[in-house]
Amino acid sequence: MKTCLIVDDSRVVRKVAARIIQDLKFNVTEAGDGAEALTACRTEMPDAVLLDWNMPVMNGLDFLRALRREEGGKKPLVVFCSIENDAEHISEAIRSGADEFIMKPFDADILESKFAEVGLV
Amino acid sequence: MQDAVFNELADLALKGSGQAIPKSKAYLIEARLAAIARREGFGSMDDLVHCLKSRANPVFAAEVAAALVSKDTSFFRERDTLKRIVEDVLPQRLKASNTGRLKIWFAGGSTGQEAYSLAIELEDELPAALRGAKIEVLSTDICKVSSERARIGCYGHYEVQKGLSIHRLTKHFTRLETGQWEVSEALKARVSFRQHNLLESAAGLGKFDVIVCRNVLSGMARPAKTRVIENLAAQLVPGGMILLGQGEGLIGLTDKLEPARDFRGAWVAAGTANAAASAA
């Protein structure tokens, strides 16, 4: 089974996302900020990361840049997920190594469609 | 909803658009007519039906019938078919036609996502065989509001996130102040939109090399399906093709068309399938 790490400082968002992604047949783990997520990735690289932008301690963008420099850090497909959805934010996320971008709020159909775009489902 | 009210509206749908709405889907009627009822100030479906019956207004009746048709669509829906159209069907048709021009019609194209998806595919993935060809794309829908929305080409947050990669979204759309996303002028220039009821003759729209009619017939009553499909068949150029949605067939509905030999799900004029295959 593929694995997906959900990184978001909102427990509610993580819970909603986890339920949807489990339905897409993933093993799901969670992290509350970028630093926690990086620790988790050092233990085991997931196949996919659903990544929030604004978080305390380490934000999504800093996590993503750090992840891509880690050994094996190019492997996970990263789907950024943010309420910041203007062209500049989107292109900054893509430049920093995101594979897809979801504009919040999202629903199950959007998550599935975006996972399909990068070949995860 | 009372039986009498349901029967009136189901009958209107059947006559106006060919839709067969079963009693088990009465909730669809309320959902699809909610906007009209609100605009006209009707408190209930009873009031709406009463108005339809008391003032004979064919324009209003047609609007209600059009509103009862499903508007479900999304970008790159059944994307394999779209790819096949661009990679196989259009090059084959171009070679056979010898005019350097191709005309494609999305019959029942709702709010335009299918036609724009083809336009995107033609921009991003144009095969060498189609280079230099003049490709005209028409999308029609029975609903005036949907056709108008398609022409304006502005889509919401949820619509643009289903079927479009972020790369395609940022390449072909611009985000507006309202939070909506507008299709680029380049795509708009490739596609035109018209209101058209498929139960009526389409002679005024001209002839087409490829007609795409997906998820339209499936909701229709049997006689309406035959009428629609024969109206479409009448607009094919010799050798032209009709493509239906996944799981949609024409067996027993018409003797004017037969399955194309080399494209699964495609239909050609009866008696020409073998000729089309050898031409390809």
Side-chain angles (χ1 to χ4, degrees), chain B residues 184-201:
Chain B
S184 72
E185 292 305 319
L187 290 191
K188 285 188 194 177
R190 284 182 176 272
V191 187
S192 56
F193 296 95
R194 276 181 69 172
Q195 181 190 12
H196 172 71
N197 185 341
L198 297 174
L199 290 175
E200 289 158 17
S201 160

Side-chain angles (χ1 to χ4, degrees), chain B residues 148-160:
Chain B
E148 194 52 39
R149 272 205 62 203
R151 190 175 303 119
I152 293 167
C154 291
Y155 297 93
H157 178 95
Y158 287 90
E159 289 167 311
V160 297

Side-chain angles (χ1 to χ4, degrees), chain B residues 266-279:
Chain B
W267 297 75
V268 294
T272 65
N274 287 322
S278 59

Side-chain angles (χ1 to χ4, degrees), chain A residues 85 100 103 105 113-114 117, chain B residues 79 157 161 163-164 166 175:
Chain A
N85 57 19
E100 253 301 336
M103 303 180 279
S113 167
K114 291 296 188 176
E117 287 296 335
Chain B
R79 82 174 60 198
H157 178 95
Q161 296 205 82
L164 286 176
I166 196 67
R175 188 172 175 273

Side-chain angles (χ1 to χ4, degrees), chain B residues 206-238:
Chain B
K207 300 271 184 176
F208 296 87
D209 297 279
V210 178
I211 300 174
V212 186
C213 183
R214 297 190 291 191
N215 309 301
V216 173
L217 294 174
S218 46
M220 288 186 168
R222 206 180 162 82
K225 286 183 187 179
T226 298
R227 196 159 137 197
V228 165
I229 205 68
E230 294 191 346
N231 282 340
L232 297 183
Q235 300 317 119
L236 284 177
V237 300

Side-chain angles (χ1 to χ4, degrees), chain A residues 85-86 90 94 100-105 107 109-110 113-114 117, chain B residues 76 79 157-158 160-167 169-170 175 181:
Chain A
N85 57 19
D86 51 275
I90 294 172
I94 300 298
E100 253 301 336
F101 192 102
I102 290 174
M103 303 180 279
K104 280 183 178 176
D107 62 11
D109 288 345
I110 290 178
S113 167
K114 291 296 188 176
E117 287 296 335
Chain B
F76 289 88
R79 82 174 60 198
H157 178 95
Y158 287 90
V160 297
Q161 296 205 82
K162 284 170 202 164
L164 286 176
S165 68
I166 196 67
H167 172 72
L169 178 63
T170 50
R175 188 172 175 273
W181 293 78

Side-chain angles (χ1 to χ4, degrees), chain B residues 111-128:
Chain B
T111 39
Q113 284 93 322
E114 275 190 274
Y116 283 129
S117 298
L118 179 71
I120 290 172
E121 194 73 23
L122 289 172
E123 287 246 326
D124 292 352
E125 312 284 343
L126 190 75

